Amino acid sequence: MSMRSNDRADTRAAASRAAARRTAPVDLPTPAPSSFGKVERPNGPLGLGIIASLVTGRSQPNYLFEAAARENAPVAHLRMAGDHVYILSDPALVNEVFLDNARDVMKGRGLQAARSLLGNGLLTSEGDFHLRQRRLAQPAFHKQRIAQYAEQMVTETVRHVSPWRDGDRVDMVEHMTSLTLAIVGQTLFGSDLTGDAKMFGETLAELISGFGQLSALGNERLVRALPQGRRLLAKVEDLDQVVQRIIDDHRSDIANGHGRPDLLTWMIQAHDDQSADRFGATMTDDQLRDEVMTMVLAGHETTAMALSWMWYSLSVEPGIDQRLAAEWQSVLGTSPRVPTFDDIAQLNLTRAVVAETIRLYPPAWIMGRRTLVDMTIGGWQIPSGSIILGSPWILHRDPALWDSATSFRPDRWLNSEGQFDESAPGVPRGAWIAFGFGNRRCIGEQFAWTEAALLLATIGSTWRPELVPGTAVETQAAVTLRPRNGLPMTIRRRHLDAD
Ligand code: HEM
């Protein structure tokens, strides 16, 4: 056998090992047969343009979906890879499907395709198994735990920016991604993911973008049949090995009586008596692996994008940046100390900037569900098995819901006393959906608010990143909403007393 065919055989073997782990039978619901017969559908664009844009990444699916949704409000329809897809643009209808009818839908095509990477973890699992995993993971996100993580978040951040020098040119997307990856690794698994395996972050980034593009095909088997899909799966196996090492280390520390205070230790030790007969009392290594991968993925890329868009927004809004500097000076001092969890309550404008950034640039820009039963939504008969999309990008930028919808106005999140208040914008329920809904709502929401506010204050009170002049910043709506060509910025030292 030549080297090349040897390589190919290795790739195939690794891909099938990775695929085999993720095709173990799971409790997935199936859509009931529809009894609607022939139905009338709302208008909408041809799906081909959207599929092409998702697969090639050339045009902007967020703008395409938004235009389709607005032109055909409140329900637009298109065909995508054999599916009937409905885009909802009325917050009441989005709530009706994602919250009130949550038991009658399952995750949509994008996340189902992500099973190749995430297995059957919190993001992708369904029904009773999902509830069991949620029960096991929830204690790791209680307030006192987040307060404990806060210190580690700030320590990692200080360490990360310590090599920065005045005038350095950096890509803030890369920096925020490696920093949030390090934070998730430390806080949730007590592991240095960037150091243990620098390849972890790089491989994950490649997988997110690769699987993101392939998910438009909407068919896991097709993904596996393509050479690109097999290459990605072989890389999943590389990550599996790192994660298995982390699990083994934790198990042996627990056995030696040195269990660490982190999510993985709690998940290894957790017993679930309620569903022990169906799923076992404790989690297997494969289940742990899926949750680790899910938390790493869901917990770093989203926050990294929120922070990246924040630096971009502040760089183009110097007035807000100056007011933030004043807030940091008053809370942290002129020679600023590092912020703590308790400071967050006073960092009102800082939190308003976080909220306004993820309103305008929601990292999880679209959510999909497949209907399991026939539904009538907004007067339209939607047959069982259809896909329904709700999009923070579309709802957060709707001029009928938000004043100056496309302008960056953090003050909308401050109440009359100048305090941050999530209900201050006064929009209807379902118009602000950056973290999702009900029992599928982001489990890491408080983690994310804490991390974003602390990182912004820690870095911002010492550094003022400036966008390199002439840089055209555009959105790239992949799995998360990213700045398309990164974010080249010049780092300027900030002197709070001089600002
Ligand atoms: C700004 C940052 C973040 C945003 C905007 C965000 C957004 C979301 C959204 C919209 C969902 C629901 C998806 C759906 O219903 O289809 C979700 C779910 C989830 N998020 Fe986040 N997230 C963020 C940060 C985090 C962090 C820091 C973690 C973990 C440390 C995390 C872990 C998860 C998990 C595990 C789920 C699945 C929950 C379940 O279905 O039970 N996320 N996130």
Side-chain angles (χ1 to χ4, degrees):
M1 234 196 259
S2 71
M3 261 312 272
R4 283 191 62 140
S5 54
N6 254 331
D7 286 351
R8 274 203 297 273
D10 285 352
T11 304
R12 264 200 306 275
S16 52
R17 272 196 306 274
R21 288 181 71 166
R22 278 163 205 81
T23 42
V26 290
D27 230 2
L28 286 185
T30 40
S34 172
S35 57
F36 275 159
K38 196 167 164 38
V39 296
E40 204 187 327
R41 317 234 186 227
N43 287 332
L46 286 178
L48 274 181
I50 290 184
I51 293 179
S53 81
L54 290 172
V55 173
T56 61
R58 262 190 220 114
S59 50
Q60 308 276 339
N62 49 332
Y63 287 104
L64 291 172
F65 281 130
E66 184 184 358
R70 300 244 192 278
E71 273 161 35
N72 304 288
V75 186
H77 168 265
L78 64 138
R79 290 300 299 263
M80 255 176 72
D83 277 323
H84 287 281
V85 178
Y86 297 80
I87 313 174
L88 307 181
S89 50
D90 175 344
L93 298 185
V94 174
N95 258 326
E96 192 178 329
V97 172
F98 284 74
L99 197 59
D100 306 340
N101 292 348
R103 285 175 176 277
D104 293 331
V105 294
M106 65 186 286
K107 289 287 176 105
R109 27 187 311 143
L111 277 174
Q112 291 310 330
R115 284 182 165 275
S116 316
L117 175 61
L118 302 177
N120 201 29
L122 267 177
L123 263 176
T124 41
S125 55
E126 300 287 346
D128 291 345
F129 183 73
H130 167 259
L131 290 180
R132 178 239 198 188
Q133 296 304 91
R134 187 119 187 162
R135 275 197 301 277
L136 292 179
Q138 196 79 62
F141 293 95
H142 283 164
K143 194 175 168 196
Q144 69 275 23
R145 299 283 184 215
I146 306 278
Q148 169 194 325
Y149 304 144
E151 218 179 302
Q152 288 169 290
M153 290 171 181
V154 171
T155 307
E156 274 303 317
T157 307
V158 170
R159 196 156 65 102
H160 186 93
V161 301
S162 64
W164 285 6
R165 295 291 168 262
D166 201 14
D168 278 358
R169 189 175 279 199
V170 300
D171 181 340
M172 283 305 257
V173 173
E174 273 175 26
H175 274 278
M176 293 302 108
T177 306
S178 58
L179 175 55
T180 54
L181 180 64
I183 288 175
V184 154
Q186 285 297 347
T187 53
L188 302 184
F189 316 112
S191 290
D192 184 355
L193 292 179
T194 44
D196 172 19
K198 186 165 171 348
M199 121 311 178
F200 200 101
E202 285 160 10
T203 308
L204 201 57
E206 195 184 329
L207 289 172
I208 294 167
S209 116
F211 281 122
Q213 285 173 18
L214 289 177
S215 74
L217 299 170
N219 181 330
E220 222 190 325
R221 235 180 272 152
L222 194 55
V223 170
R224 266 185 234 136
L226 294 173
Q228 190 196 351
R230 277 206 299 273
R231 261 197 313 278
L232 292 173
L233 279 168
K235 288 189 172 263
V236 170
E237 226 216 13
D238 295 342
L239 296 192
D240 279 355
Q241 285 171 8
V242 178
V243 172
Q244 189 58 51
R245 225 171 30 238
I246 297 175
I247 296 173
D248 292 343
D249 288 351
H250 275 69
R251 284 204 190 278
S252 95
D253 285 350
I254 293 169
N256 296 327
H258 302 301
R260 316 165 200 192
D262 62 25
L263 172 100
L264 183 53
T265 302
W266 299 318
M267 299 239 291
I268 290 173
Q269 292 176 323
H271 279 253
D272 185 56
D273 298 331
Q274 271 186 54
S275 52
D277 49 335
R278 290 181 63 197
F279 307 120
T282 56
M283 286 173 67
T284 63
D285 273 12
D286 278 356
Q287 290 166 351
L288 289 166
R289 191 220 71 98
D290 291 350
E291 293 306 350
V292 169
M293 207 67 101
T294 299
M295 292 293 173
V296 171
L297 180 81
H300 92 285
E301 162 95 1
T302 40
T303 325
M305 293 314 125
L307 284 155
S308 301
W309 288 114
M310 236 175 275
W311 298 121
Y312 164 71
S313 304
L314 292 177
S315 174
V316 296
E317 299 278 352
I320 306 288
D321 181 77
Q322 272 168 18
R323 284 173 54 206
L324 270 182
E327 176 166 283
W328 296 328
Q329 181 173 351
S330 107
V331 177
L332 307 174
T334 306
S335 304
R337 62 174 172 78
V338 290
T340 64
F341 183 73
D342 291 336
D343 289 327
I344 295 176
Q346 291 180 67
L347 294 172
N348 287 299
L349 184 60
T350 306
R351 283 186 289 160
V353 164
V354 174
E356 184 64 350
T357 307
I358 56 183
R359 181 186 71 82
L360 269 183
Y361 302 101
W365 67 279
I366 196 152
M367 282 171 263
R369 297 291 188 265
R370 190 178 289 281
T371 57
L372 296 170
V373 295
D374 288 338
M375 288 182 187
T376 301
I377 301 293
W380 296 97
Q381 288 186 313
I382 299 188
S384 174
S386 305
I387 293 288
I388 299 190
L389 300 178
S391 164
W393 172 272
I394 295 172
L395 290 166
H396 293 181
R397 289 173 166 252
D398 187 340
L401 300 169
W402 304 81
D403 290 336
S404 310
T406 51
S407 309
F408 186 76
R409 296 215 173 154
D411 289 275
R412 71 175 87 238
W413 299 95
L414 299 177
N415 65 19
S416 52
E417 271 96 59
Q419 277 153 356
F420 172 73
D421 180 352
E422 252 190 284
S423 62
V427 291
R429 200 167 149 257
W432 162 240
I433 55 168
F435 291 97
F437 310 81
N439 71 10
R440 301 306 312 224
R441 195 177 171 97
C442 178
I443 201 170
E445 177 174 357
Q446 291 314 320
F447 186 110
W449 280 108
T450 304
E451 183 178 18
L454 286 177
L455 267 61
L456 182 55
T458 307
I459 300 176
S461 57
T462 319
W463 298 102
R464 190 170 45 79
E466 278 175 8
L467 190 66
V468 169
T471 308
V473 177
E474 287 173 18
T475 55
Q476 179 185 15
V479 177
T480 55
L481 191 73
R482 310 171 58 86
R484 175 177 290 276
N485 300 310
L487 210 50
M489 301 192 94
T490 308
I491 301 295
R492 302 278 178 218
R493 186 167 278 285
R494 191 195 291 277
H495 299 286
L496 280 183
D497 49 348
D499 270 311

